[in-house]
Amino acid sequence: MFWQEEIETIDSKNLEKLQLERLQKTVRCVYENVPFYRDKFKDKSLKPDDIKTLQDIRKLPFTTRDDLRLNYPYGLLAVPKNGGVVRLHTSSGTTGKPKAIFFSKNDVNQSAELIARCLVMTGVKSDDILQNMMTYGLFTGALVMHYGAEKVGILVIPAGPGNTERQIALMQDFSSTCLHLTPSYALYLSEVMESKGIMPKRDLSLRRAYLGAEPYSEETRKKLEQMLGIDIYNSYGLSEMNGPGVAFECINKDGMHIWEDNFIVEILDQETGEPVTEGQQGELVLTTLCREGMPFLRYRTKDIAKIIPGKCRCGRTHKRISRILGRVDDMFIVRGVNIFPQQIERVLMSIKGVAQNYQIHLEAYDKMLVKVEIEQDFFDGNIEHLLILKSKITEKLKSEILITPKVELLEPSTLPMSEGKTQRVIDRRTL
Ligand code: DLL
């Protein structure tokens, strides 16, 4: 099933033609309307007419998160702020000013179109009911999904996050078939369902859930699919690129299709800024092709991913990116070893007995402590089993990250659980 079959299955020649036309239009637009870009072009002695082929994208300047902050709030608008834009979102920043992202009427519509493609790609039909458990408000997660689902024409329950018992009641009362939530909240939800003796397969009508906005591993997906008895699809996006709907898995769950008629994808070596060879991992850099309010050239997402080579069995021709493998700034270094939180998660979630939540504490002198919740049975049973599990976790982590962390086993629901994005790494070395 397709939402816009012609564009979703476009051949490479026509896609390249479309991308070039849209890139040239975007370049002209920012040159004429955004002083920040015009200055950058001047620094490089570059004119819009110098962009003659898609390869010329490499002549264009990068845009970074700092550029957004320095030009906060209106500096990067390409249309008048009065009359040109109809919606503001901001991106969750833990330090300093957030990033202000504006949508024109067309941007609102276009982001909904992309979500519609994504939902239909996973088999959504008119009898589906989406319970939207992302935060409504300045965060893009809920509203962008909401408009897209309405475009498909399905019922949307604007539940927002939290109040888990009420969430379950909504699922029961309205027979929700799809959920949209963060992976950390999904883990918490499944834990609450388990503790209340709710068996989703028996007691609910759920078919699938869309998880995104924060990283999670394939092991976490499998665990949740098993616990909830549903299909889980990975959804990637960022406020700077409309929010969710940038890249999304199809039913094959083998990488996320990134909508190349809307974005030009580059995977670059994060240090040199040069393209990596296809299939290698690097920083995802995106150029918008359809955004009116705030077009971005070569935006450095700081997210690390790779292109999945080959064609997808679903027939869509748009490239697939891997799961987000880490963030350039997520990475932490312990005794000289570069470690991503996802590596830890992958190991933990593959071990039987490990429950839903974990936290990584980095302490003085480069000491690392992994706090991990495990199933209640281990605390109720023989202490031997507890010790065996602890050394198994330590050994497996050691073979993945090459250093031996301290491991602390905790009872379920001990660690703080967030309804939004969860903080996995607590780095006391920088406090
Ligand atoms: O998180 C948009 C979104 C909402 C995506 C709902 C998917 C679902 P921001 O708050 O700007 O926007 O955060 C964007 O979150 O650069 C990634 O680091 C991370 N992220 C988003 N989706 C995924 C994912 C929204 N599926 C930042 N896997 C991005 C891993 C993700 N990381």
Side-chain angles (χ1 to χ4, degrees):
M1 277 276 287
F2 294 93
W3 177 250
Q4 294 170 310
E5 183 163 359
E6 208 176 311
I7 193 76
E8 292 174 47
T9 59
I10 189 169
D11 62 47
S12 57
K13 202 164 137 243
N14 282 315
L15 176 64
E16 281 169 20
K17 187 164 168 270
L18 184 67
Q19 283 188 320
L20 182 60
E21 278 164 24
R22 289 181 173 175
L23 177 66
Q24 288 171 328
K25 188 170 163 209
T26 302
V27 166
R28 265 195 309 278
C29 166
V30 296
Y31 184 79
E32 283 161 17
N33 299 298
V34 187
F36 161 81
Y37 279 117
R38 199 166 39 247
D39 290 347
K40 287 226 170 193
F41 276 53
K42 276 196 191 129
D43 290 347
K44 289 177 158 266
S45 309
L46 190 69
K47 286 272 159 50
D49 285 345
D50 295 330
I51 305 303
K52 295 187 172 42
T53 68
L54 280 178
Q55 284 64 45
D56 288 336
I57 195 168
R58 293 182 52 199
K59 296 180 180 163
L60 295 172
F62 289 118
T63 312
T64 64
R65 212 161 20 146
D66 284 343
D67 294 329
L68 264 72
R69 296 222 163 95
L70 289 171
N71 289 282
Y72 179 88
Y74 294 116
L76 295 177
L77 272 184
V79 294
K81 79 172 188 262
N82 299 319
V85 285
V86 296
R87 195 198 282 179
L88 164 70
H89 280 292
T90 63
S91 177
S92 39
T94 43
T95 51
K97 290 264 183 229
K99 293 164 265 176
I101 310 291
F102 294 92
F103 287 52
S104 71
K105 263 190 194 167
N106 280 339
D107 295 335
V108 170
N109 186 50
Q110 189 56 22
S111 58
E113 283 290 336
L114 295 189
I115 291 287
R117 285 187 202 173
C118 296
L119 295 180
V120 172
M121 176 162 78
T122 63
V124 162
K125 297 201 183 66
S126 57
D127 63 346
D128 273 300
I129 295 172
L130 177 82
Q131 189 161 323
N132 196 356
M133 299 160 75
M134 289 279 183
T135 307
Y136 279 80
L138 287 169
F139 178 48
T140 51
L143 270 178
V144 171
M145 172 58 80
H146 190 115
Y147 275 53
E150 283 187 350
K151 197 167 262 292
V152 178
I154 61 169
L155 176 64
V156 190
I157 305 174
N163 201 340
T164 306
E165 292 189 18
R166 198 187 60 159
Q167 299 280 2
I168 298 171
L170 285 170
M171 289 174 210
Q172 287 167 330
D173 294 349
F174 300 101
S175 308
S176 311
T177 61
C178 303
L179 305 179
H180 181 219
L181 71 174
T182 59
S184 44
Y185 192 36
L187 285 164
Y188 180 66
L189 175 71
S190 68
E191 189 180 300
V192 173
M193 284 184 178
E194 203 174 34
S195 71
K196 298 200 167 303
I198 290 175
M199 289 169 64
K201 262 207 151 138
R202 185 194 62 194
D203 305 327
L204 303 170
S205 310
L206 297 178
R207 294 178 194 146
R208 48 185 99 81
Y210 305 111
L211 265 54
E214 57 183 20
Y216 60 112
S217 61
E218 195 54 41
E219 285 69 22
T220 299
R221 182 225 300 268
K222 291 205 181 101
K223 188 170 176 138
L224 279 167
E225 284 191 328
Q226 208 186 18
M227 291 176 82
L228 296 170
I230 58 177
D231 282 306
I232 288 181
Y233 297 98
N234 196 4
S235 154
Y236 169 76
L238 57 163
S239 321
E240 297 86 317
M241 301 286 137
N242 296 345
V246 175
F248 218 83
E249 283 178 333
C250 66
I251 49 170
N252 296 315
K253 298 182 198 163
D254 184 16
M256 297 181 278
H257 289 282
I258 183 155
W259 301 118
E260 290 184 86
D261 58 321
N262 276 250
F263 306 101
I264 293 186
V265 187
E266 295 174 89
I267 306 274
L268 304 182
D269 180 306
Q270 67 222 46
E271 313 259 290
T272 64
E274 293 298 311
V276 299
T277 44
E278 201 177 65
Q280 296 296 107
Q281 69 177 53
E283 183 180 350
L284 188 63
V285 173
L286 298 173
T287 298
T288 64
L289 296 177
C290 298
R291 274 182 77 82
E292 260 182 11
M294 261 191 163
F296 289 131
L297 303 182
R298 309 190 82 199
Y299 185 71
R300 303 207 53 158
T301 65
K302 294 194 177 241
D303 290 322
I304 295 171
K306 54 187 175 188
I307 299 288
I308 302 201
K311 287 193 179 128
C312 183
R313 280 172 288 143
C314 76
R316 286 171 186 83
T317 47
H318 297 242
K319 277 188 190 129
R320 287 168 296 156
I321 56 165
S322 65
R323 209 168 259 293
I324 301 303
L325 304 165
R327 276 186 59 82
V328 172
D329 50 5
D330 233 17
M331 192 184 79
F332 55 87
I333 303 177
V334 180
R335 287 183 226 145
V337 182
N338 295 352
I339 303 171
F340 287 102
Q342 288 90 306
Q343 286 177 279
I344 311 273
E345 178 182 312
R346 224 168 37 228
V347 170
L348 294 177
M349 292 302 155
S350 68
I351 300 173
K352 204 163 174 292
V354 168
Q356 276 76 341
N357 208 352
Y358 68 94
Q359 237 177 24
I360 302 160
H361 291 247
L362 303 174
E363 298 173 341
Y365 313 116
D366 275 4
K367 287 207 174 71
M368 180 176 164
L369 166 68
V370 177
K371 294 187 177 189
V372 53
E373 290 181 7
I374 59 163
E375 286 166 6
Q376 190 62 46
D377 296 355
F378 281 89
F379 290 98
D380 299 341
N382 190 328
I383 182 96
E384 278 282 288
H385 293 157
L386 206 60
L387 294 174
I388 293 172
L389 181 63
K390 187 171 169 175
S391 63
K392 187 170 171 187
I393 293 173
T394 312
E395 276 311 305
K396 285 207 161 188
L397 283 173
K398 185 183 168 198
S399 67
E400 169 73 27
I401 58 175
L402 310 176
I403 57 165
T404 311
K406 233 169 99 184
V407 171
E408 189 179 326
L409 303 185
L410 302 169
E411 295 190 41
S413 309
T414 320
L415 292 168
M417 200 68 218
S418 143
E419 293 149 1
K421 303 197 187 213
T422 294
Q423 192 184 6
R424 294 289 187 198
V425 183
I426 294 164
D427 194 345
R428 288 190 208 289
R429 302 174 304 181
T430 52
L431 291 181

